[in-house]
Amino acid sequence: MTGDPLITRYRGLICDLDGVVYRGPSAVPHAVETLNRVTARSIPVVFATNNASRPPEDVSDHLRGLGVAPRGWSVVTSSQAAAAYLAERLGQGTRVFAVGGPGVARALTEAGLTPVRVAELDGAPVEAVVQGLGTEVTWRELAAVGRLADAGATWVATNVDLTLPTPYGRAPGNGALVALVRTATNASPYVVGKPRAALFDLARIRLGTAQSETLVCGDLLGTDIEGANSAGLDSLFVLSGASRLRDLALAEPSARPTYVAADLSGLLAPATPLRAGSSGSETDLLWSVVTTAWAVRDAGGEVSDDDGLWERIERQLGLVPSSS
């Protein structure tokens, strides 16, 4: 381990949002100041989100409102990844049935395609369907997705997250609505959002960096970290969001990050890779806990999954979220 900040090993950062930069309307502690210091080093950041409902401008307004300096960063969404996928395969102006929030139609328009809403399915053909989340998605729209997919239209799902966080707890995500459609059709969608590689590839194109030069930061092992691995990218897992230390200790190899930190400020601290052959600092108890748990599991041993035990370990390591 060197004394240089982790982020200086890379030329670009792909960063998740909810649970990493903010929780709902509020910033995660240390996130804004860390991002401002990263971009001040001329290291570009792309915020990549599975949330297909909001256009990038709305996300950007949220970030600026939290105090993220307006320099060196941009936003890509799973709607944009879906539109990019179709734009490579369809002609300019092709009609595409758009289901979801305003971010879906906006992305299709910007990609040179023609978004069509359910009221406009007047018999004129559509060659593809993009299904994303929206708070006003209707039964009529979901039925049309299945009908068109069965008829041969290319069906693209922005993401398949089964749930999403709200101020009132978990709510059904786009994956739940995609699953509902699949009960009534023989078709299957092409998925572009995390943990698939397409969204990461689009973000990396925006950064202009090679795989070895790009770091992903996220708080969900099954989407951010597994997706980074599928895209061939290093990753930093932060414990400021939904996945906890217990989840990390029990993670399968496909969902294991390169590094771990309490929050986004880990980008500005030295860090040792969480892999065999690494030699972490004797004082880095978090590193030791995680690598020991993985070594035990990989050797065929058992690691406790007791929530209470892991919560006590988190408290001892000073990792309890600020909101707790």
Side-chain angles (χ1 to χ4, degrees), residues 3-315:
D4 296 328
L6 168 61
I7 192 59
T8 61
R9 305 178 190 179
Y10 300 91
R11 294 186 57 238
L13 174 67
I14 299 173
C15 190
D16 185 43
L17 289 167
D18 197 16
V20 178
V21 180
Y22 52 67
R23 301 188 196 107
S26 303
V28 170
H30 312 300
V32 171
E33 52 265 47
T34 296
L35 289 167
N36 289 342
R37 290 176 65 183
V38 167
T39 55
R41 291 174 176 266
S42 298
I43 298 173
V45 178
V46 170
F47 297 103
T49 176
N50 265 2
N51 188 330
S53 61
R54 292 201 293 173
E57 310 91 85
D58 291 357
V59 179
S60 297
D61 288 343
H62 186 182
L63 291 169
R64 285 191 291 267
L66 294 175
V68 179
R71 60 163 185 257
W73 57 267
S74 61
V75 177
V76 297
T77 71
S78 57
S79 287
Q80 291 178 307
Y85 173 80
L86 290 175
E88 291 180 355
R89 291 158 176 80
L90 304 176
Q92 286 284 302
T94 299
R95 288 163 50 93
V96 177
F97 181 36
V99 177
V104 177
R106 176 74 62 82
L108 290 169
T109 299
E110 291 175 349
L113 303 169
T114 302
V116 176
R117 291 299 192 180
V118 67
E120 301 169 306
L121 293 176
D122 51 7
V126 298
E127 295 190 29
V129 176
V130 174
Q131 183 180 357
L133 187 65
T135 57
E136 298 181 3
V137 172
T138 67
W139 178 92
R140 184 182 175 196
E141 288 178 299
L142 297 179
V145 172
R147 182 176 72 252
L148 291 167
D150 269 342
T154 301
W155 178 17
V156 180
T158 59
N159 65 296
V160 287
D161 298 25
L162 291 175
T163 64
L164 75 160
T166 75
Y168 315 103
R170 291 186 178 183
N174 195 52
L177 300 183
V178 169
L180 188 155
V181 174
R182 291 192 67 177
T183 64
T185 179
N186 294 318
S188 295
Y190 179 82
V191 182
V192 295
K194 310 172 195 177
R196 306 297 174 87
L199 182 57
F200 295 96
D201 292 342
L202 180 61
R204 192 167 58 79
I205 290 171
R206 182 81 61 88
L207 288 171
T209 54
Q211 288 173 302
S212 62
E213 300 170 328
T214 309
L215 180 68
V216 173
C217 183
D219 71 310
L220 291 175
L221 295 168
T223 54
D224 302 312
I225 306 306
E226 187 170 339
N229 289 336
S230 70
L233 307 175
D234 287 351
S235 59
L236 170 67
F237 171 68
V238 293
L239 287 151
S240 55
S243 297
R244 305 306 313 153
L245 183 59
R246 170 189 176 276
D247 304 313
L248 179 59
L250 299 174
E252 295 298 325
S254 63
R256 292 177 182 176
T258 316
Y259 311 96
V260 61
D263 54 48
L264 205 54
S265 64
L267 291 170
L268 302 177
T272 303
L274 293 162
R275 61 170 181 255
S278 297
S279 178
S281 167
E282 293 181 359
T283 61
D284 191 345
L285 296 179
L286 174 57
W287 184 93
S288 298
V289 167
V290 175
T291 55
T292 299
W294 288 354
V296 170
R297 293 200 73 211
D298 292 347
E302 293 187 5
V303 174
S304 173
D305 62 357
D306 180 74
D307 286 332
L309 170 63
W310 285 104
E311 287 173 2
R312 290 194 295 274
I313 294 173
E314 284 194 347
R315 285 195 294 272

